[in-house]
Amino acid sequence: MPPGDLDLVEAFRRGDEFAFVTLYDRHKGAVYGYAAKMLLSRAAAEDIVQETFARAYEHRQRLVSAGAFRSWVFTIARNQCLNAIARADREPALREDAPDTPAPGTPFSHLLKSEQAALVHKALDALPPAYREVLVLREYQNLSYDEIAAVTRTTVSSVKSRLFKARRKTGEILRPWLDPTPAAPEPAASGARGPVAARA
């Protein structure tokens, strides 16, 4: 977290609305990106952002350390996303593409630059939520292993294990595009003649 955010978070914990609005403006994009990739829906992600920050303000006294603000907000967003996924399982709704830009330098950053958002969407949709969330937090939000462990309430070793499995599964889905192998030309049929018949 940038040093300037620490003072803002302390003011936010005291109920300073200006500090809250400033933190909201700085972090809403990251929360939206996470929710959009978890739910694969822009509209649902926008709802998650509003609900996340409303709950953050309501329960601001529960934030133990100013330095943990980012992981704390993502934890709230994660809970809201999991609730939304559970509701979607009961009441299936049409998902929409939710392209977003991964953190610079991460393995997937070149995919969206190559306009492969639909392929990434397909890969994310195929992952179980537990794998999808660690992949999104790491590749798109660039959180550390410790931060992801705090958000998902698990251990760093578990995060690494889930991330390995998520990357492997994603690689299986993306491999045909990432490493295309051109099909070998079929051998010409015996006795086949060219388009122009030989003259007698």
Side-chain angles (χ1 to χ4, degrees):
M1 172 179 288
D5 274 12
L6 296 177
D7 292 337
L8 284 171
V9 174
E10 290 294 353
F12 157 70
R13 292 171 69 189
R14 295 192 298 268
D16 187 317
E17 292 188 4
F18 175 78
F20 169 69
V21 171
T22 304
L23 289 168
Y24 171 80
D25 287 340
R26 290 185 182 182
H27 295 277
K28 65 181 179 181
V31 172
Y32 171 83
Y34 166 72
K37 288 303 178 189
M38 284 296 293
L39 304 178
L40 303 176
S41 166
R42 295 185 185 92
E46 291 171 357
D47 291 341
I48 293 296
V49 171
Q50 298 303 316
E51 184 65 22
T52 294
F53 283 95
R55 288 177 178 269
Y57 187 81
E58 179 182 358
H59 302 294
R60 60 189 180 278
Q61 295 300 328
R62 296 182 183 179
L63 177 59
V64 177
S65 168
F69 177 80
R70 184 167 72 158
S71 59
W72 180 68
V73 166
F74 272 112
T75 299
I76 298 173
R78 173 186 184 252
N79 291 338
Q80 299 308 306
C81 285
L82 294 180
N83 289 340
I85 290 171
R87 288 194 300 270
D89 287 341
R90 295 192 299 269
E91 303 172 5
L94 180 64
R95 284 178 169 178
E96 60 187 75
D97 284 339
D100 189 32
T101 303
T106 56
F108 290 164
S109 59
H110 68 289
L111 291 177
L112 293 182
K113 291 177 183 177
S114 302
E115 299 183 346
Q116 295 298 320
L119 190 60
V120 175
H121 173 102
K122 178 181 178 181
L124 290 173
D125 194 27
L127 295 176
Y131 292 172
R132 188 189 310 160
E133 66 179 357
V134 295
L135 191 67
V136 171
L137 289 171
R138 183 65 176 173
E139 303 292 359
Y140 286 86
Q141 302 307 328
N142 210 22
L143 266 65
S144 68
Y145 292 124
D146 287 335
E147 287 177 314
I148 297 172
V151 170
T152 57
R153 298 176 182 175
T154 187
T155 63
V156 169
S157 61
S158 180
V159 167
K160 291 181 178 180
S161 175
R162 292 179 189 179
L163 189 58
F164 171 79
K165 293 175 182 177
R167 284 171 170 162
R168 182 174 61 185
K169 177 65 175 177
T170 303
E172 292 172 358
I173 297 169
L174 298 180
R175 187 172 296 117
W177 183 82
L178 292 174
D179 186 25
T181 302
E186 295 183 4
S190 177
R193 304 179 66 180
V196 179
R199 295 180 182 273

